[in-house]
Amino acid sequence: MTRPNSPGRRSRDAAAATSGPAYVTRSIPYYAMLDEDALAQIEAQAFRLLQETGIEFRDDADATRRWREAGAQVDGTRVRMAPELVRGLLACAPSEFTQVARNPARSVRIGGRHQVFAPVYGPPFVRDLEGGRRYGSLEDFQRLVKLTHQLAPLHHSGFVTCEPCDVPVSKRHLDMLFAHMTLTDKPHLGAITEKSRAQDSIAMARLLHGDDVFDRHCVIMGNVNSNSPLLVDKVVTEAAAVYCAAGQGLIAVPFILSGAMGPVTTAAAIAQALAEAMAIGAFTQLVRRGAPFVLGNFLSSMNLRSGAPTFGMPEPLMSNVVIGQLARRLNLPLRCGGALTSSKVPDFQAAAESADSMLSTVLGGANFILHAAGWLESGLATGYEKLVLDADRLGAYEVVLRGMSVDDDSLGVHAYGDVEPGGHFLGSAHTMAHYKTAFYEPRLSDSNSVEQWEEQGSKDAARRAFDRWNELLARYEPPPLDPAKREALEDYVARRKAALPDAWH
Amino acid sequence: MTRPNSPGRRSRDAAAATSGPAYVTRSIPYYAMLDEDALAQIEAQAFRLLQETGIEFRDDADATRRWREAGAQVDGTRVRMAPELVRGLLACAPSEFTQVARNPARSVRIGGRHQVFAPVYGPPFVRDLEGGRRYGSLEDFQRLVKLTHQLAPLHHSGFVTCEPCDVPVSKRHLDMLFAHMTLTDKPHLGAITEKSRAQDSIAMARLLHGDDVFDRHCVIMGNVNSNSPLLVDKVVTEAAAVYCAAGQGLIAVPFILSGAMGPVTTAAAIAQALAEAMAIGAFTQLVRRGAPFVLGNFLSSMNLRSGAPTFGMPEPLMSNVVIGQLARRLNLPLRCGGALTSSKVPDFQAAAESADSMLSTVLGGANFILHAAGWLESGLATGYEKLVLDADRLGAYEVVLRGMSVDDDSLGVHAYGDVEPGGHFLGSAHTMAHYKTAFYEPRLSDSNSVEQWEEQGSKDAARRAFDRWNELLARYEPPPLDPAKREALEDYVARRKAALPDAWH
């Protein structure tokens, strides 16, 4: 397997090319916001919740049975687990692993010092500058998968880039899986909303990758949420049973709106999120020791007047950094963050909130960053312009993650031979030797003079982004796929669609 | 003197109130991007430049005489200085100091763990949503000083918030000083463009503060730029001679567009900036041992196609963090960063670039952050909307700087008594005890549903910001000022204006 991620490599037009590094490996330190004592206190509170309050595992007798057999204290649906049991199980999960893509050059490494960026997950609506806001359709979904394929800073195709609302809920996952498997060769996630849909995801992944690769590698993952506070329903445990039993990965993410699904104070919300994610992580290891597991975290603050969630605010910014510290203590891969905002449109608010949210994730060291591009309106809408604008900034974060070179050459020790005080470095030997790789080149930032900018139509960033995603779609080309595999996938989808009723909820 | 900056205090509507903490004191760690060895290499290169290449001190025989007397090697205008000479002089500068405001509650502490935010400095143009882009006028200038006064996250009034282009250059500084001294009681900077203007600044500050306060405290500072590479002109040395001789402060900022005024590689540009700023800092101590000095840094990257400067890019983001590490090694206060962008309008680009630029400054630990609000168009225009939008985000950074509480209460150890798994924390005892202080409340972020947002006119952030600054101006009230002082200042301005010719350059 190729991992084209040598430290010296840098995409010159990161957001432009389909090709780019498959993922990023950081050479900069993590930002450590809390000291060890504070981290230990948060961890102790998380373990206290697991042991004293316990976690509800509802509607899945198989799940409570597994816990009982493992030695947890099970009273009906309430599972109380000792710290050593949880720690022991989590220690079985790999600290990092590879999710193999159908194009091996696009396989991603999840955990350790690696970061993987994936687009927004879940919005029922889409928005673009000319089409406005509307329910997502299968056509939207396919276009968003194509764009994700074309945007190099997105390493991973995610899954529900928008809901294709024109397809029955019962069949939707089949079209979505087919799109990810055929329109891109980047890795992607699978369905989890029902056990049979998880099974379809696994079956189709097996067809795409072949038994040999499927049985030896993680090729697909499910992303599940706990029902905070402290409740895990059968969607989660069944997804774990399907994905992990097949040796595939699970990402478990408590989504906590502090003050509603968790305590209103940030440290307490982090502790609860940690407890819930650890409980699910431990459960994945009950299903299969060594199954790839990603500890997730999604904390949001709240508008106190309306109760609406808010994003990109200082409290979740800090939690992104702290949860990174906590995940490293557990030696587990981490999912958190994203380019989050409550703005309805790709305006100043959207960018400011997204930037602070993303940069904290980058400095904090999250390994898998879902929602890294395209998120609008508190996650209710996928923005076409937002997708390409965010990707442009992700390219900049890649440069930050690779860090700064400090040696005699990059220090310019010999740069002053042909430049005198008061002179200039334009065209100097040192400049000529370095200028091509010195700076990140954003696609969508305009640094022209105001006169040039006006001449070109006084387009703001959103308007330039509209032009850009339309251009990208116009030149989209699907990556090659073995016709036999394509046919097998088509057959599977047709067969399953014929067997399933149309259901709209 | 009061310093209302207790750690527990948090402005509930930070960008709304005139009142707020006079400055911020961080309780979070600095982000350390480079290790000690890399920092030592950069520092060594800076000292190598000072000793081997040297710095040009032009057009000021007094400056070269001071260097010669101090033991530097002076050949004509070229001054080569030994590391121990520079280190010895810089050690005389205070590691932190207070700039006293005419309202003592607004005095700011510069250096150490403190951060002070000030608005944009220098643009000849202004822009607002309805008035468009135009040359700044004295009326604009006065309005921007009023707005800065009203925006609590701006701790400092800066100086050239825009150029009042309708006033002759020769007299402009008098109107600007008078505006800062009468329309706000926050601290501000003074003029430096000519020796006599620096002297006017000092004279008016003495009138405003009275001899007793003026002679015992730093009440005004000048902000000067080196002429990179490695050239210091008489604007700088004369400003140092005027401000520092009077016991007042000097901020020295190399403005380096990497690849033009300095090497194209980031580490080299940082080393050059450090060398230039250290040379000016050492010079301030030749003028007066113990004079308040702030080490500045302003590195910009470049669009390789056009040669235009770019802002908010990953390279200067990293340099903000690294220069913070270097300033702490020298035990000197640092100015860097700002909410920088090359965007012409307050759009997605403006916010994304500004956010990454500012957050890196905040995590890196800059002490005085000029350009923290209002900067547009690579510094050529002050944006009215941008000013209030940036201030809203500065309030969020204040919350980050104060850090996260971790104790039994904030961990919610007793929060689960009245909340069961699957329940909710809305109205729980722990929530009721904490919700009022749990979250930052942004003024300009809209977290409403899309339906509410549409009902309220589908206003994007820039439009809401337009409404906001107009509201603020409508309710502006000047802070009280002793009528005798006001009269003395009016007299001084009238007298000087009568004595000076109208000059437009």
Side-chain angles (χ1 to χ4, degrees):
Chain A
M1 202 189 68
T2 314
R3 274 190 240 134
N5 193 49
S6 66
R9 183 166 170 178
R10 178 187 294 187
S11 168
R12 288 312 312 149
D13 176 4
T18 303
S19 71
Y23 55 92
V24 201
T25 300
R26 76 189 296 123
S27 63
I28 60 171
Y30 302 104
Y31 178 48
M33 185 169 273
L34 293 185
D35 61 24
E36 288 301 310
D37 179 57
L39 295 173
Q41 284 185 62
I42 295 178
E43 208 176 77
Q45 166 65 5
F47 280 114
R48 195 179 297 127
L49 286 172
L50 292 177
Q51 184 155 38
E52 295 177 8
T53 309
I55 304 281
E56 282 283 307
F57 278 82
R58 286 199 189 148
D59 304 323
D60 187 350
D62 198 47
T64 39
R65 177 189 57 76
R66 287 186 200 264
W67 276 117
R68 194 176 300 112
E69 288 171 7
Q73 183 195 327
V74 181
D75 299 307
T77 52
R78 186 72 62 93
V79 179
R80 292 181 176 83
M81 43 200 99
E84 49 276 23
L85 172 62
V86 176
R87 282 194 189 276
L89 287 167
L90 291 177
C92 301
S95 60
E96 55 178 274
F97 61 91
T98 297
Q99 182 183 354
V100 171
R102 72 169 169 97
N103 174 354
R106 296 200 187 281
S107 296
V108 294
R109 190 84 185 148
I110 295 177
R113 299 186 68 82
H114 314 296
Q115 294 209 340
V116 173
F117 300 141
V120 62
Y121 184 114
F125 297 97
V126 297
R127 180 187 280 274
D128 79 81
L129 208 57
E130 301 208 336
R133 183 183 187 267
R134 59 194 185 270
Y135 276 107
S137 67
L138 183 58
E139 192 191 344
D140 285 310
F141 183 86
Q142 290 163 341
R143 294 200 294 179
L144 292 165
V145 172
K146 289 176 184 174
L147 287 170
T148 299
H149 177 69
Q150 291 172 289
L151 293 164
L154 289 171
H155 311 117
H156 195 283
S157 194
F159 190 54
V160 192
T161 317
C162 75
E163 284 283 353
C165 297
D166 51 349
V167 181
V169 171
S170 52
K171 300 179 176 176
R172 208 174 271 178
H173 65 289
L174 297 164
D175 287 332
M176 293 160 75
L177 286 161
F178 187 78
H180 282 292
M181 290 178 174
T182 57
L183 300 176
T184 182
D185 56 4
K186 293 183 182 181
H188 59 88
L189 304 175
I192 51 93
T193 45
E194 263 198 7
K195 188 171 182 178
S196 66
R197 294 173 198 156
Q199 288 165 332
D200 284 335
S201 305
I202 291 290
M204 288 177 70
R206 188 178 277 282
L207 289 176
L208 180 69
H209 291 272
D211 290 342
D212 190 49
V213 171
F214 184 93
D215 289 332
R216 291 187 304 114
H217 296 285
C218 172
V219 299
I220 193 166
M221 300 193 291
N223 181 80
V224 295
N225 296 122
S226 49
N227 242 321
S228 305
L230 306 176
L231 171 61
V232 174
D233 62 22
K234 72 170 180 174
V235 169
V236 174
T237 48
E238 288 180 353
V242 172
Y243 279 86
C244 301
Q248 303 304 311
L250 200 77
I251 308 170
V253 187
F255 166 61
I256 298 177
L257 173 56
S258 299
M261 295 96 98
V264 77
T265 49
T266 302
I270 293 173
Q272 181 186 307
L274 186 64
E276 294 174 4
M278 288 197 300
I280 299 173
F283 182 78
T284 64
Q285 303 305 304
L286 289 179
V287 173
R288 176 163 165 162
R289 299 290 196 283
F293 169 72
V294 180
L295 182 94
N297 170 67
F298 193 101
L299 294 185
S300 139
S301 47
M302 195 198 283
N303 180 314
L304 292 167
R305 293 174 219 282
S306 64
T310 53
F311 296 94
M313 291 300 133
E315 297 82 15
L317 184 164
M318 290 189 276
S319 75
N320 282 340
V321 174
V322 170
I323 199 83
Q325 296 183 272
L326 290 163
R328 285 191 292 282
R329 282 169 73 93
L330 293 169
N331 210 16
L332 288 172
L334 171 69
R335 181 206 136 182
C336 78
L340 311 178
T341 181
S342 55
S343 182
K344 272 52 78 181
V345 288
D347 63 351
F348 190 99
Q349 176 189 346
E353 293 175 351
S354 295
D356 287 348
S357 190
M358 267 305 302
L359 186 53
S360 60
T361 301
V362 163
L363 296 179
N367 303 111
F368 185 75
I369 306 179
L370 204 60
H371 311 308
W375 169 294
L376 273 182
E377 203 192 310
S378 304
L380 284 176
T382 301
Y384 277 84
E385 289 80 24
K386 182 78 166 20
L387 187 81
V388 293
L389 286 163
D390 285 336
D392 212 31
R393 298 306 294 174
L394 292 178
Y397 298 133
E398 289 197 359
V399 175
V400 171
L401 284 165
R402 295 208 187 93
M404 185 191 295
S405 163
V406 180
D407 56 26
D408 277 5
D409 190 28
S410 57
L411 277 169
V413 170
H414 306 294
Y416 294 81
D418 53 347
V419 180
E420 280 293 291
H424 67 79
F425 286 82
L426 297 166
S428 80
H430 185 263
T431 302
M432 295 311 285
H434 291 281
Y435 81 94
K436 282 190 186 163
T437 54
F439 302 125
Y440 176 63
E441 274 192 78
R443 276 297 294 221
L444 292 169
S445 279
D446 184 300
S447 59
N448 285 337
S449 71
V450 74
E451 291 79 12
Q452 290 169 293
W453 176 77
E454 285 172 353
E455 210 167 277
Q456 291 168 12
S458 302
K459 291 179 182 175
D460 70 4
R463 173 56 58 179
R464 296 193 297 274
F466 174 85
D467 295 347
R468 170 126 176 90
W469 69 258
N470 278 285
E471 270 166 41
L472 281 173
L473 280 184
R475 66 168 198 246
Y476 167 81
E477 281 180 27
L481 175 62
D482 175 357
K485 284 187 173 175
R486 185 185 182 91
E487 204 175 311
L489 291 168
E490 280 168 347
D491 285 352
Y492 186 92
V493 169
R495 202 154 31 82
R496 287 289 294 147
K497 280 194 170 179
L500 289 165
D502 277 5
W504 290 96
H505 55 83
Chain B
M1 200 190 68
T2 314
R3 273 190 240 134
N5 192 50
S6 67
R9 182 166 171 177
R10 177 188 293 188
S11 168
R12 290 311 312 147
D13 176 5
T18 303
S19 70
Y23 55 92
V24 202
T25 301
R26 75 190 295 126
S27 64
I28 60 170
Y30 303 105
Y31 178 48
M33 186 169 273
L34 292 187
D35 61 23
E36 288 302 309
D37 178 58
L39 295 172
Q41 285 185 61
I42 295 178
E43 207 176 78
Q45 168 64 6
F47 281 114
R48 195 178 299 127
L49 285 173
L50 292 177
Q51 184 156 38
E52 295 178 8
T53 309
I55 303 280
E56 282 284 308
F57 278 82
R58 286 198 190 150
D59 303 322
D60 186 351
D62 199 46
T64 39
R65 178 190 55 77
R66 287 187 200 263
W67 276 116
R68 194 176 300 109
E69 288 172 7
Q73 183 195 325
V74 180
D75 300 306
T77 52
R78 186 71 61 93
V79 179
R80 291 182 177 83
M81 42 200 99
E84 51 274 23
L85 172 61
V86 175
R87 281 193 189 277
L89 287 166
L90 292 177
C92 302
S95 61
E96 56 178 274
F97 62 91
T98 298
Q99 183 184 353
V100 170
R102 72 169 168 97
N103 174 355
R106 297 201 187 281
S107 296
V108 293
R109 190 83 185 148
I110 295 176
R113 298 186 69 83
H114 313 297
Q115 294 209 338
V116 173
F117 299 141
V120 61
Y121 184 115
F125 297 97
V126 295
R127 179 187 280 272
D128 78 81
L129 209 56
E130 300 207 338
R133 183 182 187 268
R134 58 193 187 271
Y135 275 108
S137 67
L138 184 57
E139 192 191 345
D140 285 309
F141 183 85
Q142 290 163 342
R143 295 199 296 178
L144 292 166
V145 171
K146 289 176 183 176
L147 287 170
T148 298
H149 177 69
Q150 292 172 288
L151 294 165
L154 289 170
H155 311 117
H156 195 282
S157 195
F159 190 56
V160 191
T161 318
C162 75
E163 284 282 354
C165 297
D166 51 348
V167 180
V169 171
S170 53
K171 300 178 176 178
R172 206 174 272 181
H173 65 290
L174 297 163
D175 288 331
M176 293 160 77
L177 286 162
F178 187 77
H180 282 291
M181 290 178 175
T182 57
L183 299 177
T184 182
D185 56 3
K186 293 183 182 181
H188 59 87
L189 304 174
I192 50 92
T193 45
E194 261 197 8
K195 188 171 183 178
S196 66
R197 295 173 197 157
Q199 287 165 332
D200 284 334
S201 305
I202 291 291
M204 288 177 70
R206 187 179 277 282
L207 289 176
L208 180 68
H209 290 272
D211 290 344
D212 191 47
V213 171
F214 184 92
D215 288 333
R216 292 187 304 114
H217 295 285
C218 172
V219 299
I220 193 165
M221 301 192 290
N223 181 79
V224 295
N225 296 122
S226 49
N227 243 320
S228 306
L230 306 177
L231 171 61
V232 173
D233 62 23
K234 73 171 180 174
V235 169
V236 173
T237 48
E238 288 180 353
V242 172
Y243 280 87
C244 300
Q248 303 302 312
L250 200 77
I251 308 170
V253 186
F255 166 61
I256 298 177
L257 173 54
S258 299
M261 296 96 98
V264 77
T265 49
T266 302
I270 293 173
Q272 182 187 307
L274 185 64
E276 294 174 5
M278 288 198 299
I280 299 173
F283 182 79
T284 63
Q285 304 305 303
L286 289 180
V287 173
R288 177 162 165 164
R289 297 293 195 281
F293 169 72
V294 179
L295 182 93
N297 171 65
F298 193 101
L299 293 185
S300 139
S301 48
M302 193 198 284
N303 181 314
L304 291 168
R305 293 173 219 283
S306 65
T310 54
F311 296 94
M313 291 300 133
E315 298 81 15
L317 185 165
M318 291 189 275
S319 74
N320 281 340
V321 174
V322 170
I323 199 85
Q325 297 183 272
L326 291 163
R328 286 190 292 283
R329 282 170 73 95
L330 293 169
N331 211 16
L332 287 172
L334 171 68
R335 181 206 135 183
C336 77
L340 311 178
T341 181
S342 54
S343 182
K344 271 53 77 179
V345 288
D347 62 352
F348 190 101
Q349 177 188 346
E353 293 174 352
S354 294
D356 288 346
S357 190
M358 268 304 302
L359 185 54
S360 60
T361 300
V362 163
L363 295 179
N367 302 111
F368 184 76
I369 306 179
L370 203 62
H371 311 308
W375 169 293
L376 273 182
E377 204 192 310
S378 304
L380 284 175
T382 301
Y384 277 83
E385 290 80 25
K386 181 78 168 18
L387 187 79
V388 293
L389 285 163
D390 284 336
D392 211 31
R393 297 305 296 175
L394 293 178
Y397 297 133
E398 289 197 0
V399 175
V400 172
L401 284 165
R402 293 206 188 94
M404 185 190 297
S405 162
V406 180
D407 55 25
D408 277 4
D409 190 29
S410 58
L411 277 170
V413 168
H414 306 295
Y416 293 82
D418 54 346
V419 180
E420 280 293 290
H424 67 78
F425 287 81
L426 297 165
S428 79
H430 185 263
T431 302
M432 295 312 286
H434 291 280
Y435 80 94
K436 282 188 186 164
T437 54
F439 303 125
Y440 176 63
E441 274 192 76
R443 277 296 295 220
L444 292 169
S445 279
D446 184 300
S447 58
N448 285 337
S449 71
V450 73
E451 292 79 12
Q452 289 169 296
W453 176 77
E454 285 172 353
E455 210 167 275
Q456 290 168 14
S458 301
K459 292 179 181 174
D460 70 4
R463 174 55 61 178
R464 296 193 298 274
F466 174 85
D467 295 347
R468 171 128 177 88
W469 69 258
N470 278 284
E471 272 166 40
L472 281 173
L473 280 184
R475 66 169 198 247
Y476 168 81
E477 282 179 25
L481 176 62
D482 175 358
K485 284 188 172 174
R486 185 184 181 89
E487 204 176 311
L489 291 169
E490 279 168 348
D491 285 353
Y492 186 92
V493 170
R495 202 154 29 83
R496 288 289 293 146
K497 279 194 170 180
L500 288 165
D502 278 3
W504 289 96
H505 52 85

